[in-house]
Amino acid sequence: MINIGLIGLGTVGTGVFKTLRNCPDVRIKKIAVSNVTKQRNIENFDYSLLTTDPYEIANDKDIDIVVEVIGGITPAKDIIKTAIKNKKHIVTANKELLAKCGAEIFELETKMKSAVVIDNKKINTSKVGIGCRVFVTNVKTNAEFEYKIVGDTD
């Protein structure tokens, strides 16, 4: 089982959540949001997954992958660096962060020898569904990985 921590549950985060929640061998363990009482447009949503503290995810020893979809530099950079120091893999769609702080993040990644920072720039969550192929590119090596979405969805 792969445990995922999701940082952000806006438009992109909701799409990621809906895509991953029914994937076999994937468990979304925790989701960091700014407002835990906000109503979510997600059928049968488990509000107990929510936290306002993204470091709860970055520091959770049971979470394998941190998906950051909040954007901007602050606090995303520090959350990602904390997660890398805790040997987590990172998936981010944060172009500004990678453009301005990518070298620093990749240096830490290399030093820790444990995390892979990948960019989901080719994922359009409004078009992702069962049977879709999803391409993920490692922005450090330009290696491209292909995944096929299987299982039930909303």
Side-chain angles (χ1 to χ4, degrees):
M1 179 70 64
I2 297 170
N3 289 311
I4 294 178
L6 182 59
I7 312 289
L9 195 60
T11 302
V12 174
T14 296
V16 170
F17 176 83
K18 286 179 175 180
T19 300
L20 293 178
R21 83 164 162 185
N22 294 316
C23 289
D25 299 320
V26 172
R27 175 179 155 219
I28 298 177
K29 185 171 184 220
K30 192 61 81 173
I31 305 168
V33 296
S34 58
N35 182 350
V36 296
T37 60
K38 177 181 175 181
Q39 288 297 315
R40 306 291 167 172
N41 188 21
I42 303 170
E43 188 175 329
N44 300 317
F45 185 70
D46 179 1
Y47 285 83
S48 71
L49 294 174
L50 298 180
T51 179
T52 57
D53 181 6
Y55 294 95
E56 192 176 316
I57 292 170
N59 291 313
D60 187 323
K61 65 179 177 58
D62 295 326
I63 289 178
D64 306 298
I65 300 172
V66 174
V67 178
E68 179 274 316
V69 289
I70 57 174
I73 303 293
T74 305
K77 176 182 161 186
D78 192 55
I79 295 165
I80 287 173
K81 287 176 67 177
T82 300
I84 291 172
K85 289 175 185 173
N86 286 311
K87 304 186 185 297
K88 313 248 177 265
H89 297 286
I90 309 298
V91 177
T92 182
N94 193 333
K95 307 298 182 252
E96 180 183 15
L97 177 69
L98 292 177
K100 293 179 178 175
C101 308
E104 179 182 351
I105 290 169
F106 296 138
E107 183 179 323
L108 178 61
E109 170 196 12
T110 301
K111 178 181 172 185
M112 296 306 297
K113 297 179 182 162
S114 62
V116 177
V117 177
I118 57 177
D119 171 15
N120 68 346
K121 66 185 171 191
K122 294 187 179 182
I123 297 175
N124 176 342
T125 57
S126 66
K127 305 262 189 231
V128 172
I130 301 305
C132 288
R133 294 181 317 158
V134 176
F135 297 92
V136 180
T137 303
N138 180 313
V139 295
K140 182 176 180 186
T141 65
N142 286 324
E144 191 170 85
F145 304 92
E146 179 181 348
Y147 299 93
K148 185 169 183 178
I149 305 297
V150 295
D152 295 331
T153 188
D154 290 43

